[in-house]
Amino acid sequence: MEYDIRVEDYLNDKLQSTADLEQLDTLLSSIEHQRSQLQSQLDDATRELDEARRSAEDRRAALAAQVDEFHALQRSIDRRLQAITESDAPDHAIRRLEPPMRQLHRVDLAHRYLGLLQDVEALRQAARSHLPQDPKAALEPYTRLKQLSLRLRELQQAADGAAVHLVAHVESATERLWAEMKKTMCDELEAVLAKRGWPGVAPDSEVDEEWLRCVEKLVDLQAPEVLYSPTTVRLLPLDVMAQIFVKEFRFHFMSDKPTSSPHVIGAHCFPWFLALIEKWEDFLRDNFGPLLASRFADTAVAHKIVYMDPVCAFITSMLPVMREKIAVTISETAGDTVFLSSLLSQLMTFDERLRTEFTYDDGDAEDGWGGLTSEVLSQHFRTWLEAEKKFALERYRAIMAAPDARAIDYDFAGPGKTKPTFAAVRVIDLLRSVTSQYERVRRFSHKLRFLIDIQLTILDEYHDHLRDTLEAYFSITSTVGRAFGVTKEQLAALEGTGALETLCKVYGSADHVVNTLKDWSNEEFFVTLWAQLQARAAEASEDQNNLAGGMSYDHVRDRTSAAVGKEEDGGVLFDETIAAYSQRRKRAEEFLSEALVDSHRKAFKAYLHRPHWTTIADDAVSGDGGTVTPELEEPLRILKRDLDFLSRALGTAVFRRVWREALEKLNSTLWSDVLMGHKFTASGAAQFARDLGAVSALVERFIPDGSGALGSLGDALRLLNLPAGPAAQDGGAGAALSLRQATDRVFTDNSEAKKVLDELDIDSLTPANARQILQRRVENAE
């Protein structure tokens, strides 16, 4: 039905009008032609399908045949494998073949070895053939031989140490060749030097072309070694030129001559070495400086002055014999720690002169040359440290045992400055000398060891001495301490200014140490050491047990500063020590104030209990030409004694500070025990004012404006000394007030009392104080 619809649609499309019927034959012919084409295509497709089916069948049959053939072959292999497995013929054959195979392998290996040895010998001969005419050409076969030696060593490691003799032979041949090459070229330069009479040439002369050529050849020969060596290499031409001086050095300083004695190394050996360098400095630079610059200026070692400067190269060639001399000297003086310390000091000076005068850095432009000192200290540092520590501690104990150790050094500073004891000054000088011993040491851990093991140890011992002195003073002066028994000698030592002197010694000594350590903390050496410590602490976060020199992080922090390892700014090397001494200084100052108060309390005892303030003659009311109360003479004498002593022993600031506290306490005592404890007639009040004036005048002689601490008592006495009669008419702020007028107004109310005080220009008293004071006059007793 669907086919009929398509036909109908086709006919409708082709026969849409009557005119289309005329083309019917053509249409039928076209349809027939299309049908025949479709039939032909259908026949071709059917034929191809049949051929494909036949081909597939053939392939299937062939594949099945192959599968059958494979299975048959597999069964045959299995049968033969089983037969072989059950037979021992293959094992027997293998065992018979193993010896010949091993022999064949040995023969092949021997053949290869021989070939390698022939190559080694050929390279050696090739290198020799170019010397001494062309050292650059000789380097090519030598370089190939060196590379072969290194490659064999790498292969041997991978092969678990095989071919030991071969590798050793090639390495030995390489080393012998290099030695021969250097000797050949060095012999040539030695011959030239012999002809020129070296070192008999003038230091200001110029070398000839032949000499320069020989030096140039040696530099060319050594250039690869210089460029690729991880350590500093001695330049061969300078080595050859230095040999005559090495022999001379050995003759003078390593023979049986008197100059070879270990104890004169600083007097003869070091000066001779430095004088030699100075003599030939200009000669070497003028003649060989340009040559070295032309060879190494554009290379990886251009920044190493030891290759660019012939003087530094010459020093490098001379240093080995100096190292040998120092080693022999230390060996011959083993156990003499005093000489070791002296030697190291002289050796540091020697190293420093090489660095500063000849800019020698041993090829390390960044960190500089460690010096011969660092090489010695790498083996003998502990011995040196213990020797220096023993000497320093012995010197410290000798300082403390000196007869004048605990005496105050009044000549240490001028007026107005705190004076330390002789012991404190000498201890600081001792610490400075220790610093001079190790400040030139290059290694950080060595410096830190000296600081902690010697300097801080001495400071700790001296701090303990000051602390013990304060504790002994407290035990003698305190009630609790006296309960345990105090000797007469101890009490006698504190009589007079004894107590003040004892405390001033502690205060002055602690102050001197604190100020010195603060100054040191700003010095370059200790600032750098602190920065290095902080950097080391930041890097040692994983290894807290060995921050430096075997010392743990906690140990270093506890001995130096709590700021070690912290990121925030601040902190110095002596933080902990400064804090400890500052505490002793503070405590000594507190004791000083207390000692002054106690001294005044005892001195004014009789004055405080004087019962005659109401019986003084009336003719003394004016106070003109009067004298102080007899009971005040002794207190004034003691005040003068204490003021005089402390003004010489203490600095201005602390002197004023302790006296202000003492005078304020005296002001309070006189107020409560005298002013508030007694009644006063006009003459008694005038006498009291005269006494206070004497005290104030004495204080002003030593402390300008120091009597201000007694100001409230002075204001009170002005009020107490108002005249009892009619008011004066001579003008003035408070002159018109009489005692009666002032009393009436003060007792009226607070406002009126304040007006009275203002009129009298008194600002230190309150209305309540004014009422209490006015009641002390006998006229107001009722």
Side-chain angles (χ1 to χ4, degrees):
M1 184 64 183
E2 185 178 344
Y3 173 77
D4 294 340
I5 292 173
R6 287 200 301 270
V7 172
E8 182 180 355
D9 291 339
Y10 177 79
L11 291 176
N12 289 335
D13 181 58
K14 296 297 182 181
L15 299 176
Q16 296 180 3
S17 65
T18 308
D20 291 336
L21 294 175
E22 296 177 0
Q23 302 295 330
L24 184 59
D25 291 339
T26 303
L27 180 60
L28 292 175
S29 174
S30 174
I31 293 173
E32 180 61 25
H33 177 67
Q34 291 177 0
R35 186 196 66 76
S36 63
Q37 286 181 338
L38 291 173
Q39 185 63 45
S40 175
Q41 291 176 357
L42 179 60
D43 293 341
D44 290 341
T46 302
R47 185 170 58 255
E48 290 175 358
L49 178 59
D50 291 340
E51 289 178 357
R53 286 175 177 172
R54 285 195 300 272
S55 176
E57 184 62 26
D58 292 343
R59 285 197 297 272
R60 186 192 64 77
L63 184 59
Q66 289 177 356
V67 171
D68 292 339
E69 183 180 356
F70 172 77
H71 286 308
L73 180 60
Q74 182 66 45
R75 287 193 294 272
S76 174
I77 291 173
D78 291 341
R79 287 194 299 271
R80 281 180 288 175
L81 182 59
Q82 184 176 4
I84 291 173
T85 303
E86 294 174 353
S87 173
D88 59 355
D91 292 338
H92 181 67
I94 291 172
R95 285 195 296 271
R96 290 179 61 191
L97 288 173
E98 280 180 351
M101 291 300 293
R102 285 197 298 268
Q103 188 67 25
L104 181 61
H105 178 68
R106 291 194 188 99
V107 172
D108 180 63
L109 189 59
H111 182 268
R112 292 174 181 270
Y113 275 17
L114 288 174
L116 182 60
L117 294 176
Q118 288 176 348
D119 292 342
V120 171
E121 187 60 27
L123 291 173
R124 289 182 60 194
Q125 294 300 330
R128 289 173 178 172
S129 66
H130 294 292
L131 297 176
Q133 296 80 14
D134 192 353
K136 285 187 177 181
L139 283 174
E140 182 179 352
Y142 168 76
T143 301
R144 291 171 56 192
L145 183 59
K146 183 68 174 178
Q147 291 173 345
L148 176 61
S149 174
L150 296 175
R151 179 59 178 162
L152 286 175
R153 176 61 68 181
E154 293 176 2
L155 294 174
Q156 183 193 37
Q157 294 175 354
D160 297 329
V164 175
H165 298 293
L166 176 66
V167 175
H169 172 76
V170 176
E171 289 180 347
S172 176
T174 304
E175 293 171 0
R176 287 199 307 272
L177 174 60
W178 180 239
E180 292 172 10
M181 293 170 65
K182 291 194 293 185
K183 186 177 186 307
T184 300
M185 300 306 299
C186 290
D187 288 346
E188 183 184 29
L189 178 58
E190 287 178 357
V192 172
L193 293 177
K195 287 193 294 184
R196 305 302 185 275
W198 173 258
V201 300
D204 57 351
S205 63
E206 294 185 7
V207 301
D208 54 67
E209 288 298 324
E210 184 180 9
W211 191 341
L212 267 178
R213 242 187 343 266
C214 288
V215 172
E216 186 177 5
K217 288 179 184 179
L218 273 170
V219 173
D220 290 340
L221 177 69
Q222 203 178 8
E225 182 183 16
V226 170
L227 295 175
Y228 298 109
S229 175
T231 58
T232 300
V233 176
R234 287 153 44 192
L235 294 183
L236 289 175
L238 279 304
D239 244 9
V240 174
M241 295 172 63
Q243 288 309 306
I244 185 67
F245 302 114
V246 171
K247 292 177 182 177
E248 184 179 351
F249 183 95
R250 292 184 181 277
F251 174 76
H252 288 299
F253 308 114
M254 300 181 70
S255 63
D256 57 356
K257 297 179 69 64
T259 51
S260 298
S261 172
H263 294 87
V264 297
I265 185 172
H268 298 291
C269 185
F270 294 152
W272 180 93
F273 189 100
L274 295 169
L276 175 69
I277 306 300
E278 291 175 355
K279 177 180 179 180
W280 295 103
E281 180 180 7
D282 294 337
F283 175 84
L284 293 171
R285 285 204 177 104
D286 293 343
N287 289 290
F288 305 112
L291 189 153
L292 294 181
S294 66
R295 288 298 184 274
F296 299 119
D298 298 325
T299 67
V301 297
H303 65 286
K304 296 187 176 182
I305 196 171
V306 75
Y307 298 128
M308 300 292 290
D309 183 2
V311 176
C312 292
F314 184 68
I315 293 173
T316 303
S317 297
M318 289 295 299
L319 281 178
V321 71
M322 180 61 79
R323 288 190 181 92
E324 186 179 348
K325 168 63 178 176
I326 292 171
V328 170
T329 298
I330 293 176
S331 175
E332 291 178 352
T333 59
D336 189 347
T337 54
V338 175
F339 174 75
L340 177 62
S341 296
S342 174
L343 173 64
L344 286 170
S345 177
Q346 296 175 71
L347 195 54
M348 289 179 200
T349 302
F350 174 77
D351 291 341
E352 195 61 30
R353 288 193 63 183
L354 289 181
R355 293 190 194 99
T356 56
E357 295 180 19
F358 308 107
T359 64
Y360 186 74
D361 62 7
D362 195 35
D364 190 346
E366 183 176 351
D367 297 327
W369 180 44
L372 299 179
T373 307
S374 64
E375 298 174 15
V376 173
L377 291 181
S378 64
Q379 299 180 9
H380 303 283
F381 173 73
R382 179 57 63 178
T383 302
W384 182 45
L385 176 66
E386 292 301 326
E388 289 295 331
K389 182 177 182 179
K390 179 181 178 182
F391 172 79
L393 290 176
E394 288 176 351
R395 176 66 185 135
Y396 167 76
R397 293 182 181 110
I399 289 172
M400 299 305 295
D404 62 346
R406 290 165 175 77
I408 296 176
D409 184 2
Y410 291 102
D411 296 328
F412 177 79
K417 302 293 182 180
T418 299
K419 312 302 189 299
T421 61
F422 285 99
V425 175
R426 292 165 186 168
V427 166
I428 292 299
D429 290 341
L430 171 62
L431 295 177
R432 282 197 181 95
S433 70
V434 174
T435 301
S436 68
Q437 289 293 320
Y438 77 93
E439 65 181 346
R440 294 181 291 174
V441 174
R442 308 283 287 186
R443 191 171 175 180
F444 166 74
S445 61
H446 290 169
K447 295 178 183 178
L448 193 62
R449 270 291 184 189
F450 256 85
L451 173 72
I452 291 178
D453 287 8
I454 300 180
Q455 291 180 301
L456 294 186
T457 296
I458 291 175
L459 285 169
D460 288 348
E461 288 202 18
Y462 190 59
H463 167 267
D464 292 343
H465 162 72
L466 298 182
R467 183 193 60 198
D468 292 345
T469 300
L470 289 179
E471 290 178 352
Y473 172 84
F474 180 75
S475 67
I476 295 172
T477 57
S478 67
T479 304
V480 175
R482 289 181 177 180
F484 291 95
V486 178
T487 65
K488 294 181 179 179
E489 291 77 8
Q490 289 175 320
L491 291 175
L494 299 183
E495 293 295 329
T497 58
L500 300 179
E501 184 175 3
T502 298
L503 297 172
C504 284
K505 292 174 183 178
V506 175
Y507 181 90
S509 299
D511 183 71
H512 181 52
V513 173
V514 169
N515 292 334
T516 300
L517 295 183
K518 287 182 177 179
D519 291 341
W520 286 0
S521 298
N522 294 319
E523 291 182 2
E524 181 181 0
F525 172 73
F526 291 107
V527 169
T528 302
L529 191 60
W530 171 252
Q532 292 173 333
L533 176 59
Q534 286 291 67
R536 183 69 65 91
E539 295 172 358
S541 57
E542 296 181 0
D543 187 6
Q544 299 292 317
N545 293 324
N546 186 15
L547 180 60
M551 295 180 289
S552 68
Y553 171 84
D554 292 337
H555 176 70
V556 173
R557 181 193 59 195
D558 293 343
R559 297 300 303 277
T560 56
S561 170
V564 171
K566 295 183 179 179
E567 296 182 359
E568 60 267 18
D569 294 335
V572 294
L573 275 174
F574 304 102
D575 274 346
E576 296 300 320
T577 307
I578 290 174
Y581 275 91
S582 296
Q583 187 64 29
R584 301 287 78 76
R585 181 176 63 177
K586 179 182 178 182
R587 190 65 174 138
E589 182 178 338
E590 293 172 352
F591 280 153
L592 269 173
S593 297
E594 294 173 4
L596 280 176
V597 170
D598 185 65
S599 174
H600 297 165
R601 179 180 56 80
K602 294 177 180 178
F604 279 84
K605 186 175 182 180
Y607 185 81
L608 297 178
H609 295 86
R610 181 181 182 278
H612 306 298
W613 298 108
T614 58
T615 60
I616 297 176
D618 291 339
D619 58 2
V621 172
S622 65
D624 296 335
T627 59
V628 298
T629 303
E631 289 84 355
L632 188 63
E633 293 179 356
E634 180 63 13
L636 287 175
R637 185 189 68 81
I638 292 175
L639 280 174
K640 182 177 181 302
R641 179 199 69 189
D642 293 347
L643 282 164
D644 180 65
F645 172 77
L646 291 179
S647 67
R648 292 183 294 112
L650 296 179
T652 301
V654 64
F655 176 67
R656 295 180 68 93
R657 200 160 52 239
V658 297
W659 270 102
R660 182 172 185 81
E661 293 182 15
L663 292 174
E664 286 177 350
K665 184 64 177 177
L666 178 61
N667 181 83
S668 176
T669 301
L670 292 176
W671 180 289
S672 60
D673 291 5
V674 179
L675 180 61
M676 294 293 120
H678 298 87
K679 296 291 186 178
F680 295 86
T681 62
S683 59
Q687 185 64 45
F688 191 16
R690 188 181 303 113
D691 292 347
L692 182 64
V695 174
S696 298
L698 178 61
V699 171
E700 288 293 328
R701 285 172 53 191
F702 292 90
I703 311 174
D705 300 326
S707 60
L710 301 172
S712 61
L713 184 60
D715 288 343
L717 290 181
R718 287 174 56 196
L719 189 61
L720 186 68
N721 275 276
L722 289 176
Q729 302 298 323
D730 57 351
L737 283 177
S738 66
L739 179 65
R740 173 54 58 191
Q741 292 171 335
T743 303
D744 292 342
R745 294 175 61 186
V746 166
F747 279 89
T748 300
D749 55 36
N750 286 345
S751 177
E752 191 64 24
K754 289 179 180 179
K755 290 179 181 180
V756 170
L757 294 176
D758 289 340
E759 290 177 16
L760 294 173
D761 196 22
I762 296 175
D763 57 4
S764 64
L765 301 179
T766 65
N769 294 146
R771 296 185 187 105
Q772 292 175 340
I773 294 166
L774 291 173
Q775 287 178 328
R776 297 294 93 198
R777 285 288 292 268
V778 294
E779 291 86 341
N780 295 329
E782 63 278 3

